Amino acid sequence: MFELVLLVPEAGVEPVGDALVVLDALSVSVEDADALTPSEQALFGEPGMPPPKEGWNRSRVVALFPDEALAREAAALLLPQDFFEGAQVMGVRAVAEQDWVRLTQSQFDPVEITPTFWIVPTWHEPPAAAKEVIRLDPGLAFGTGTHPTTRMCLRWIAGHAPRRQRVLDYGCGSGILAIGAAKFGADPIVAVDIDPAAVESSRLNADANGAVLRTGLPDVVDGDFDVVLANILATPLKVLAPLLCERVRAGGHLVLAGILARQEEELREAYAPWVKLSVSDEEDGWILMTASKV
């Protein structure tokens, strides 16, 4: 890989960037050429006000090409263009070879849910103390265990071990909560999402973990459940209140996450006609709200 490095005045950044894309650059990045100097500019305004400027006086534009010849050809084609006036070619440089897969993997370590319950990427060995392990690699669907909302839900599952209980994971994302329920003996388990990619991700992750789930879009849900899990966000949780509560059987548990601490009261009010929600866990400004259905 080779980088073409350009110094471009504010007015030229957009047309130069567009031209680089047409010239088959693999990527184009723009940064303040005066960063970390007395001339550095901050591109933001006061709250509620537009930024003072759309761009920096001078930008360093870096375009990535698959080989040196393409990078130098792009530079030669840019030089005579009217929109390149005032810009400079700073050079072409080779990008240091890296094992990008290993570099990406190194950013994701095992995640502790409890001292004996861990989420472990496939390229890591489980910690010695781990008795229950979810094997999960970072992917497109939400839910790898790194977010407080996911960890709180999994802690609740570990603390309430839903053995032989019927569980619904509504808005399953990666399927991590449903898989966690399977690790603690839940059966049967239904995992649904409005995003077909999330449904497929859940199916694949369940297979990789030896978990038996029924996956699909929300219309596959039928009957009621001992545990209903929903780790979404406060606004859709409020809209879904009647549906989710209807799916909890008498004596069953409702477990909700994706809620900021400041949203506690509005969730209580939204669910009040059916259940009495309370906060059962809190982490980094997020709360877990639960209820038992009478």
Side-chain angles (χ1 to χ4, degrees), residues 46-118:
E46 293 298 321
M49 299 293 289
K53 293 186 67 179
E54 292 296 323
W56 297 292
N57 287 335
R58 302 189 312 158
S59 292
R60 182 180 294 105
V61 177
V62 180
L64 183 67
F65 289 89
D67 58 56
E68 184 176 7
L70 284 174
R72 294 196 180 281
E73 181 184 9
L77 290 169
L78 286 172
L79 282 169
Q81 305 302 321
D82 292 342
F83 59 76
F84 201 69
E85 184 178 354
Q88 302 174 49
V89 175
M90 305 302 291
V92 173
R93 63 192 184 197
V95 177
E97 288 291 330
Q98 296 217 49
D99 184 339
W100 295 106
V101 171
R102 186 175 296 275
L103 180 63
T104 300
Q105 290 180 348
S106 70
Q107 300 173 38
F108 297 94
D109 292 323
V111 176
E112 179 181 346
I113 304 304
T114 74
T116 59
F117 180 26
W118 290 72

Side-chain angles (χ1 to χ4, degrees), residues 91 114 120 166 191 269:
T114 74
V120 184
R166 182 171 162 87
E269 293 176 1

Side-chain angles (χ1 to χ4, degrees), residues 130-146:
K131 293 181 180 178
E132 297 293 346
V133 172
I134 297 176
R135 286 291 196 174
L136 193 67
D137 294 340
L140 294 177
F142 174 80
T144 57
T146 58

Side-chain angles (χ1 to χ4, degrees), residues 4-57:
L4 169 61
V5 184
L6 309 170
L7 187 64
V8 183
E10 181 181 348
V13 170
E14 186 172 351
V16 168
D18 290 344
L20 287 166
V21 172
V22 172
L23 292 169
D24 295 326
L26 299 175
S27 68
V28 180
S29 62
V30 181
E31 60 188 47
D32 185 0
D34 297 310
L36 305 179
T37 74
S39 300
E40 181 176 5
Q41 292 178 285
L43 294 184
F44 53 84
E46 293 298 321
M49 299 293 289
K53 293 186 67 179
E54 292 296 323
W56 297 292
N57 287 335

Side-chain angles (χ1 to χ4, degrees), residues 151-174:
R151 290 198 299 271
M152 288 190 293
C153 287
L154 290 170
R155 280 201 295 267
W156 187 94
I157 291 169
H160 293 78
R163 290 181 181 85
R164 295 182 295 279
Q165 294 185 15
R166 182 171 162 87
V167 172
L168 171 63
D169 180 3
Y170 198 98
C172 56
S174 66

